[in-house]
Amino acid sequence: MPGIDKLPIEETLEDSPQTRSLLGVFEEDAAAISSYVNQLYRAMHRIYDAQNELSAATHLTSKLLKEYEKQRFPLGGDDEVMSCTLQQFAKVIDELSSCHAVLSTQLADAMMFPITQFKERDLKEILTLKEVFQIASNDHDAAINRYSRLSKRRENEKVKFEVVEDVYTSRKKQHQTMMHYFCALNTLQYKKKISMLEPLLGYMQAQISFFKMGSENLTEHLEEFLTNIGTSVQNVRREMESEVETMQQTIEDLEVASDPLYLPDPDTTKFPVHRNLTRKAGYLNARKSSILQAESKKDSEEWICTINNISKQIYLSENAEEIAARVNQSALEAVTPSPSFQQRHESMRPTIQSRPPTARTSSSGSLGSESAPLSTLSLDSLVAPDTPIQFDIISPVSEDQPGQAKTSGQSGRRTNPFGESGGSKSETEDSILHQLFIVRFLGSMEVKYDETPDVVYETMRQILAARAIHNIFRMTESHLLVTCDCLKLIDPQTQVTRLRFPLPNIALYATHQENKRLFGFVLRTSGGRAESRPTSVCYIFESNNEGEKICDSVGLAKQIALHAELGRRASEKQKEIERVKEKQQKELSKQKQIEKDLEEQSRLIAASSRPTQSSGEGQFVVLSSSQSEDSDLGEEGKKKRESEA
């Protein structure tokens, strides 16, 4: 076949360097073929696995459609038309499943078998022959080395015979192995074309056969059936859209009519209490074990009257509402009016000592759990005494956050949380970490220490207790952006950065041990109430069950920042080392040049100090060739020349 490169088998016995070099090219080609065929094998295996999965999924779909008539839906009823239609679909899909199964079998035989044979048999044979040839070559080299070390002066016939026999055996083995190896590498040049073309040919033939089977099954009767089903689906869709419009109009009418009823305590003058009810559906709140609380005054009166009427068994009579009306009217005329609902409600409310909204509370209860009250020493060791609690985020435009250094253009600047700015480059654009979370700010307060998570837990407890005592339920929702440089609180509507927390200043972060929605972190600031010393402020947030994820993101950001800083320091150190080496190299070059100049000057002085020979009247310096060589060779050369003379 033209264009096929071959290794010369007749040159294997000579085993010249050129032959070995050509062999290296063929081995490199074999390694490249092996790598490419492995990738092609994985790709074709994915096709085969996907076809098997498609065949199994199609068969399962057909099976489920057949079982539709056995299902009992609470609202579906017995829909014979739907059941018959799905049975027809199940029959067609079952036929398609059979076609897919045939295609899977054809792919296994015509596509996967040839490439698997080439991969598992031919390529492994090349690898095995390569190992055997390497072993034979090593044995031959060892035999040649032993033969080369034989002594020529004291020959031992027995040893020489053994060494020569060893050379003969190893050379014969290497020659035979090398010839088989060359033959396999030459054959590989043909097999690599076959191994790539045969699987592709089988794949295309299997697909053509599959499409032919599909075209034979898709008859005109099936097309008519599909057309009818499509028409039915469109009719059902139009009916659904009409019904949705009707329901939407009903919802709008009910919203307008029910607007006054959204109030938890409607005005009883506009919505009078129905005291003659013998049935009422709704909810009563259970408070501890003997108090039932209604939502409004009207609901409370109606519940009381309904329970009284039921207790008197008025609902068993024929005219229950008329009898209940007469009984209630008689009761109102016979007894003294009781205090109003508002008066009873105020009398039952527990007395709470009023405190300033920003005062630190020492309540020992926490949200969702009852913990033992901490001692005063324990509180003072974690939280600074008389620390005010901030329940809302102060906008950076109106007031600076303590410890937040204000840079030019930072206040009120819109920030894209994903680092995609329209014109200017965002300061977090270069960060490799961008994770966004929805959080709600609960509060912040100054703490004394930032070395243990107990600081965060205690701050959570105090802020939640203070919110409960002072009836503060409003929370500011923000987007928390975690990057490798900082944490940002971003307004979700305007994308304005409310607060920015530099990542190196975050000393501690933790999530609540029981309520995973709560998390907080401690920020070291440059100054607080006492401007002469740095302070630590603990910020508490609520998330959508993502407290641990946020803490993990902050930890990942700090690790990335740490690795970046270590890399920067290592780079600077390496540059400094290179500068020192360059300086030392320059000094060494200068020193060598100085030594070279001194040596040249010494040679000139030595040459000028030799005796002169006179000829006639003039005197001139004559240096013979031997003297010139003596000057170069030094004392050792002079002694050698004198001995030769």
Side-chain angles (χ1 to χ4, degrees), residues 260-266 280 282-287 292-303 341-342 345:
L261 299 178
Y262 295 150
L263 294 173
D265 195 1
K280 184 174 176 62
Y283 298 94
L284 292 174
N285 298 330
R287 301 187 63 182
L292 299 178
Q293 180 183 10
E295 189 180 50
S296 63
K297 175 183 178 182
K298 174 179 176 296
D299 270 353
S300 177
E301 298 283 347
E302 288 181 352
W303 275 109
F341 172 82
Q342 186 68 23
H345 184 69

Side-chain angles (χ1 to χ4, degrees), residues 133-147:
F133 171 69
Q134 189 65 39
I135 294 173
S137 297
N138 294 336
D139 293 343
H140 179 257
D141 293 341
I144 290 296
N145 290 333
R146 286 196 297 272
Y147 180 77

Side-chain angles (χ1 to χ4, degrees), residues 251-270:
I251 290 173
E252 293 177 1
D253 297 340
L254 289 176
E255 285 181 350
V256 174
S258 304
D259 187 69
L261 299 178
Y262 295 150
L263 294 173
D265 195 1
D267 190 0
T268 55
T269 58
K270 298 180 180 180

Side-chain angles (χ1 to χ4, degrees), residues 9-25:
I9 299 179
E10 59 274 7
E11 297 181 6
T12 53
L13 182 60
E14 183 181 358
D15 194 15
S16 63
Q18 292 80 2
T19 305
R20 283 297 182 108
S21 177
L22 185 60
L23 174 62
V25 176

Side-chain angles (χ1 to χ4, degrees), residues 27-78:
E27 288 178 341
E28 184 179 356
D29 182 74
I33 293 173
S34 177
S35 176
Y36 180 78
V37 168
N38 285 330
Q39 298 178 22
L40 185 62
Y41 172 81
R42 288 194 292 268
M44 291 183 175
H45 206 285
R46 286 186 63 182
I47 296 176
Y48 177 65
D49 292 341
Q51 183 59 41
N52 287 336
E53 179 63 24
L54 180 58
S55 176
T58 309
H59 178 70
L60 178 61
T61 303
S62 174
K63 181 180 178 182
L64 290 174
L65 292 178
K66 291 179 181 179
E67 294 178 353
Y68 177 81
E69 59 183 2
K70 300 178 183 179
Q71 304 298 318
R72 294 294 177 263
F73 299 102
L75 299 178
D78 295 332

